Amino acid sequence: MKKNILFVISNDNIGGPQKSLLALLERLDYTLFNIDVMILNPSGNLKELFPKEVNVLKADKLLTAFTMPSDSIFYTLGVFLKELKIRQFILALKAMFNYKIKKRPMNQERQKFWVENSKHLEQSDKNYDFAFGILGLSTYYVVDCVNAEKKYHWIRSDSRMLNRDVGIENYYFKKIDGALSVSQECESIFNDMYPYMNGRTKVFYNYLPLSFYDSFSDNTVLSKDSINLITVARLDPLKGLDLAIKACKLLVDKGYEIKWYVLGDGKGRKEIEKMIEEYSLQEVMILFGFKLNTLQYIKQTDIFVHPSRAEGKSNAVDEAKYAGVPIVVTNYPTVKEQIDNEYNGLIAQFDEVDLSNKIERLIKDKELAKTLGQNSINEQNEVVDPNSFLCSL
């Protein structure tokens, strides 16, 4: 008999976690599983790329409003008014006041709102063997609203960096059957924070959605008249684009003819554009915006730079390793699970001088750059069969 599995994800914008889910869905044997995907904030395009066997459950407007998406707070308030949810309208206003005026973390305000109001949400009318929560309040939805034999949280990042209310997290994590982690380091951090999860957390590495990349190639060709660097990241302070801009300026001042392409978008775009202008790098540091086929661009560059301050297990770094492009990363806590310094990449400290020095080293030492890239290709991990893994849970 087929197993019924539900994946719940906070949104279907195409970022790293969404690509990983897509890659997993591409590898599943649909003679073994019936797969549903619930998207709490269905405003993106990911659902159009799922295999035809996947049943997409679209959240209604009220459920989406209960998650309080940060990019559509006025929409949220409008939904509450239209549905005559006056109490929720007032509590949402209070959460926004606490965030905007009192400078309290929005993640925590969102958690508190959910705890106070989730009892008003409808229960899922389907029974599942497994249900997985991915990102945001997805695990909370799984715990509160889903009937499943086993419920799992999916650890996508360094849990210390999420700035969430640990008391509320504890309340929910004590109600789940286990957790999956994208890396051993993320598993260790998570278990240190929530010791009762020891023995109930398993590592399940990301896949790259290769068939997805094949479907979305374009004709963009990067100029070969300069040294091409690339960063693939959400435009967010955690991703370290400020370090990249400062490092770029140091390299330009030394006379290097470089183009530094940045693939990604986000709420920090205006600040980054302003900083690029302040450093007079408009012709050097190019914000390409969001691109579906990031791998296509990575393959055309000379050096991949990942200046992040926090990661789980970076999809972008895995893409660069797959492409055999030499890598420079910053020394965020989980980096050593993907990069062995001096073997398949160079690890820089969190300052623009060391970051620029590591990049300069690869510009000067072509043999080292070639060796790092080849080592990445040679060490491609054996892929775990997801069908066997899910059946073993």
Side-chain angles (χ1 to χ4, degrees), residues 245 268-278 287:
I245 293 167
R269 185 181 183 96
K270 287 185 178 179
E271 290 79 4
I272 291 168
E273 287 176 336
K274 182 179 179 182
M275 191 173 178
I276 289 172
E277 187 175 347
E278 288 173 353
L287 300 183

Side-chain angles (χ1 to χ4, degrees), residues 342-362:
E342 302 283 343
Y343 175 73
N344 63 352
L346 299 181
I347 300 177
Q349 298 305 309
F350 287 106
D351 70 80
E352 62 270 20
V353 174
D354 196 40
L355 184 62
S356 67
N357 286 343
K358 294 296 193 298
I359 296 169
E360 183 179 18
R361 187 176 166 199
L362 292 184

Side-chain angles (χ1 to χ4, degrees), residues 195-256:
Y196 52 86
M197 293 300 296
N198 270 294
R200 293 197 285 152
T201 306
K202 295 185 178 183
V203 174
F204 186 69
Y205 290 114
N206 294 331
Y207 301 111
L208 291 179
L210 299 179
S211 61
F212 164 78
Y213 296 134
D214 291 342
S215 302
F216 287 95
S217 59
D218 60 39
N219 297 320
T220 302
V221 178
L222 303 183
S223 171
K224 297 186 182 300
D225 295 335
S226 57
I227 301 161
N228 289 331
L229 281 60
I230 193 166
T231 293
V232 180
R234 184 177 69 253
L235 303 188
D236 180 277
L238 275 179
K239 297 300 182 178
L241 273 301
D242 55 319
L243 288 178
I245 293 167
K246 293 174 183 177
C248 182
K249 177 64 173 173
L250 292 174
L251 291 168
V252 169
D253 287 348
K254 288 183 178 180
Y256 289 107

Side-chain angles (χ1 to χ4, degrees), residues 98-377:
N98 289 339
Y99 170 59
K100 292 287 189 181
I101 306 302
K102 294 188 175 182
K103 305 301 180 184
R104 293 177 182 172
M106 189 58 198
N107 275 344
Q108 295 183 19
E109 293 301 316
R110 200 175 281 120
Q111 286 176 275
K112 293 171 186 175
F113 181 89
W114 180 274
V115 170
E116 291 179 19
N117 296 284
S118 59
K119 60 181 176 289
H120 300 292
L121 291 170
E122 292 185 6
Q123 294 288 308
S124 169
D125 58 1
K126 185 172 179 179
N127 294 319
Y128 294 94
D129 295 285
F130 306 121
F132 300 89
I134 310 170
L135 292 178
L137 298 174
S138 300
T139 299
Y140 294 9
Y141 176 80
V142 166
V143 170
D144 289 336
C145 302
V146 175
N147 297 312
E149 189 69 25
K150 292 185 178 181
K151 301 180 179 184
Y152 291 89
H153 173 63
W154 209 309
I155 306 160
R156 301 290 321 177
S157 60
D158 181 341
S159 299
R160 298 169 302 188
M161 301 294 180
L162 299 178
N163 204 8
R164 292 168 73 108
D165 186 309
V166 175
I168 296 176
E169 296 279 73
N170 271 306
Y171 172 80
Y172 280 96
F173 294 156
K174 285 179 179 178
K175 293 189 172 190
I176 60 176
D177 296 280
L180 305 184
S181 173
V182 295
S183 73
Q184 293 180 8
E185 191 65 28
C186 286
E187 176 194 33
S188 177
I189 291 167
F190 181 78
N191 287 342
D192 285 345
M193 292 181 69
Y194 309 103
Y196 52 86
M197 293 300 296
N198 270 294
R200 293 197 285 152
T201 306
K202 295 185 178 183
V203 174
F204 186 69
Y205 290 114
N206 294 331
Y207 301 111
L208 291 179
L210 299 179
S211 61
F212 164 78
Y213 296 134
D214 291 342
S215 302
F216 287 95
S217 59
D218 60 39
N219 297 320
T220 302
V221 178
L222 303 183
S223 171
K224 297 186 182 300
D225 295 335
S226 57
I227 301 161
N228 289 331
L229 281 60
I230 193 166
T231 293
V232 180
R234 184 177 69 253
L235 303 188
D236 180 277
L238 275 179
K239 297 300 182 178
L241 273 301
D242 55 319
L243 288 178
I245 293 167
K246 293 174 183 177
C248 182
K249 177 64 173 173
L250 292 174
L251 291 168
V252 169
D253 287 348
K254 288 183 178 180
Y256 289 107
E257 294 186 12
I258 63 173
K259 293 285 186 184
W260 193 324
Y261 299 97
V262 179
L263 273 57
D265 220 327
K267 59 186 179 182
R269 185 181 183 96
K270 287 185 178 179
E271 290 79 4
I272 291 168
E273 287 176 336
K274 182 179 179 182
M275 191 173 178
I276 289 172
E277 187 175 347
E278 288 173 353
Y279 282 79
S280 301
L281 296 173
Q282 297 95 317
E283 302 300 317
V284 180
M285 199 147 200
I286 314 298
L287 300 183
F288 260 6
F290 174 75
K291 297 293 180 182
L292 282 169
N293 191 344
T294 50
L295 186 60
Q296 172 191 346
Y297 289 85
I298 291 171
K299 286 179 176 179
Q300 297 185 63
T301 56
D302 301 294
I303 301 170
F304 175 89
V305 185
H306 198 62
S308 187
R309 292 183 169 91
E311 289 290 342
K313 185 171 183 286
S314 168
N315 282 65
V317 171
D318 278 344
E319 290 171 353
K321 290 172 68 176
Y322 178 83
V325 175
I327 297 168
V328 176
V329 293
T330 43
N331 193 25
Y332 50 85
T334 61
V335 69
K336 291 180 182 176
E337 186 135 2
Q338 289 178 284
I339 298 298
D340 183 354
N341 192 37
E342 302 283 343
Y343 175 73
N344 63 352
L346 299 181
I347 300 177
Q349 298 305 309
F350 287 106
D351 70 80
E352 62 270 20
V353 174
D354 196 40
L355 184 62
S356 67
N357 286 343
K358 294 296 193 298
I359 296 169
E360 183 179 18
R361 187 176 166 199
L362 292 184
I363 292 173
K364 288 181 173 180
D365 192 340
K366 299 291 193 296
E367 193 60 36
L368 173 62
K370 181 179 178 181
T371 298
L372 296 179
Q374 188 59 52
N375 286 344
S376 285
I377 292 173

